[in-house]
């Protein structure tokens, strides 16, 4: 999960990109970057850290131009090294940069193709660099001197025939324009927005409509599965579905956890979906409590994604809704932090309990999802330490049993608390008195209400059913080995040691 944005407007674009990236910060807090073209050159700034840390005034004045792309990174493949921050750039053809949200499932096949046939050098382990170079190769293969719309669409059609997995990407061509394109299943979100300028229409392509709302752009539409939209530097809009074989299966986890409450993706309102999930979870709780004689005093969400779930849940069962946690907004989302050690250290800094809301009460905690379970266990320990008599956990999504291969860096299968455990065993692990999960059918129904045209969602983390032919047991085993926290911690430690050594040599 990352955030991408591309903008073409009539005046300097750096502030627009900066503001858009701030709004998309929830999609990635590992690194940020933007590249802007002044017509002849690209001006790039990227680094590890939050948007407000990466871009200072001295950086912004060095980023002139009327079109550019930006990225907030959440590490999915490779390490959290600043070398893999985006956007990425190649000089040929034209001068081309790219920012990517997703994950290629045939990355190794494409890496071999680029090395042996395309004769292109890769400098990182990032599949985003692979996607960039495949696009560059296909643009080169068209043989056209200029990046006209038909040239760009022809190249992207070839990219879509080669690259499998999930990708919602924006790319910038020097002297040409901005192009946004989406994989044939539309797994990761991408939208087109417009704003009427003084002289002409200005355009933005972004991962969520929330970037449009902040900057006065109107949603034009979602970029369709397999489609590319090309905005020339003169502000002309062109679009084409570049893939004949497509089936829309957007990621359901966007609405469970990833997207902001005010996001509307592929016609599905994230906020309304979360409210419906809370109501359906209430039905499950009422049935459970009638069978097991559970009583409770208060409903409290684990902030912030689950707030809407808990609000609808409390309203339906007739119990008071209270805020029991104070969230430190300067600590990032723990689920998307690299390494378990970092996540565990962040939990207590992130959430402080309001003891009066827990003392001597039977508490219903509402959470959007449980992944590893270690954070949930820590939260329950905090609640008990605050004096709660009984703690029940209500989860607005089904058990997460399988890793994600489409751009969400979920842990290895062995590190998922629901993998291979019964509900009772998970309950014991997180040390809750009661544990109730959402049903899978209720999850799908809650999202499909807004857009019945979506026949299927990408739900592999719940079902273990992957659409990509590349995803087999060997692929999942290799992915598991890369994603284990022990591997990540060792890799990041080695990277820190190398950086320290370099600093010593040059100090």
């Amino acid at each position: 999960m990352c955030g991408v944005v591309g903008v073409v407007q009539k005046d300097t674009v750096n502030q627009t990109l900066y503001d858009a990236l701030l709004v998309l910060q929830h999609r990635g807090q590992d690194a940020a970057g933007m590249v802007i073209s002044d017509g002849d050159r690209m001006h790039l700034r990227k680094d590890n850290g939050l948007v407000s840390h990466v871009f200072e005034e001295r950086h912004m004045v060095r980023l002139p131009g009327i079109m550019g792309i930006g990225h907030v990174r959440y590490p999915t493949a490779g390490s959290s090294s600043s070398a893999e921050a985006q956007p990425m750039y190649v000089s040929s053809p034209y001068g081309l940069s790219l920012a990517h949200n997703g994950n290629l499932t045939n990355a190794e096949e494409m890496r071999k193709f680029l090395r042996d046939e395309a004769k292109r050098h890769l400098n990182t382990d990032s599949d985003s660099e692979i996607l960039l170079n495949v696009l560059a190769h296909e643009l080169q293969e068209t043989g056209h001197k200029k990046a006209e719309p038909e040239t760009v669409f022809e190249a992207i059609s070839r990219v879509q025939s080669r690259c499998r997995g999930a990708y919602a990407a924006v790319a910038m061509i020097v002297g040409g324009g901005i192009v946004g394109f989406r994989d044939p299943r539309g797994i990761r979100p991408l939208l087109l927005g417009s704003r009427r300028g003084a002289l002409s229409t200005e355009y933005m392509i972004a991962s969520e409509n929330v970037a449009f709302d902040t900057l006065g752009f109107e949603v034009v539409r979602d970029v369709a599965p397999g489609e590319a939209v090309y905005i020339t530097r003169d502000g002309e809009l062109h679009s084409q579905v570049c893939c004949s074989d497509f089936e829309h299966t957007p990621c359901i986890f966007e609405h469970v956890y990833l997207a902001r409450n005010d996001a509307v993706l592929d016609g599905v309102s994230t906020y309304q979906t979360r409210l419906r999930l809370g109501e359906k979870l209430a039905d499950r709780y009422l049935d459970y409590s009638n069978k097991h004689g559970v009583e409770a005093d208060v409903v409290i969400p684990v902030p912030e994604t689950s707030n809407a779930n808990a609000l609808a849940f409390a309203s339906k069962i007739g119990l008071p809704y209270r805020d029991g946690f104070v969230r430190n907004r300067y600590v990032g989302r723990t689920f998307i932090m690299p390494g378990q050690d970092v996540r565990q250290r962040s939990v207590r800094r992130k959430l402080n309990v309001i003891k009066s809301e827990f003392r001597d009460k039977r508490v219903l905690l509402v959470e959007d999802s449980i992944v590893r379970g270690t954070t949930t266990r820590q939260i329950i320990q905090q609640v008990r330490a605050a004096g709660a008599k009984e703690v029940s956990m209500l989860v607005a999504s089904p058990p997460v049993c399988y890793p994600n291969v489409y751009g969400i860096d979920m842990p290895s299968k062995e590190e998922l608390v629901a993998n291979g455990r019964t509900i009772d065993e998970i309950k014991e692990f997180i040390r809750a008195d009661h544990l109730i999960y959402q049903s899978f059918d209720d999850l799908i129904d809650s999202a499909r209400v807004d857009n019945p045209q979506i026949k299927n969602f990408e739900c592999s983390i719940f079902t273990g059913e992957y659409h990509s032919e590349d995803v087999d047991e060997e692929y999942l085993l290799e992915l598991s080995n890369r994603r284990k926290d022990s591997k990540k911690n060792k890799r990041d430690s080695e990277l820190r040691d190398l950086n320290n050594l370099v600093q010593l040599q040059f100090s």
Side-chain angles (χ1 to χ4, degrees), residues 2-6 69-71 86 97-104 127-128 131-132 135 156 159-160 166-172 178-183 188-191 205-207 223 227-230:
C2 298
V4 301
V5 60
I69 62 176
H71 188 267
Q86 297 182 40
S97 62
L98 178 138
H100 165 223
N101 175 28
N103 186 58
L104 302 184
D127 62 336
S128 301
L131 184 63
L132 168 63
L135 175 59
I156 289 177
V159 169
Q160 291 174 333
Y167 46 89
V170 290
M172 181 168 65
I178 300 287
V179 59
F181 59 100
R182 205 172 175 195
D183 69 79
R188 303 259 70 85
L190 197 66
L191 296 96
I205 304 167
S207 295
V223 177
E227 184 185 21
V229 294
Y230 185 46

Side-chain angles (χ1 to χ4, degrees), residues 202-219:
E202 301 172 330
Y203 290 99
M204 179 186 290
I205 304 167
S207 295
E208 293 184 28
N209 58 288
V210 299
F212 304 156
D213 301 340
T214 300
L215 291 157
F217 285 75
E218 297 290 332
V219 175

Side-chain angles (χ1 to χ4, degrees), residues 51-69:
V51 174
S52 58
H53 297 158
V54 171
F55 299 104
E56 300 177 5
E57 184 177 355
R58 61 192 174 94
H59 303 123
M60 298 292 281
V61 298
R62 298 171 188 164
L63 296 168
I66 64 168
M67 69 176 187
I69 62 176

Side-chain angles (χ1 to χ4, degrees), residues 310-338:
L311 185 63
F313 177 91
S315 177
K316 188 154 189 179
I317 67 172
L319 282 179
Y321 169 100
R322 293 288 185 269
D323 290 326
F325 298 93
V326 176
R327 183 176 182 271
N328 184 346
R329 298 181 184 278
Y330 301 98
V331 177
R333 300 173 86 176
T334 52
F335 169 66
I336 61 176
M337 286 182 173

Side-chain angles (χ1 to χ4, degrees), residues 33-51:
M34 69 172 77
V35 59
I36 296 174
S37 172
D38 61 8
D40 297 319
R41 294 185 178 183
M42 287 191 182
H43 305 275
L44 173 66
R45 166 65 183 167
K46 61 179 181 177
D47 202 353
N48 278 3
L50 300 175
V51 174

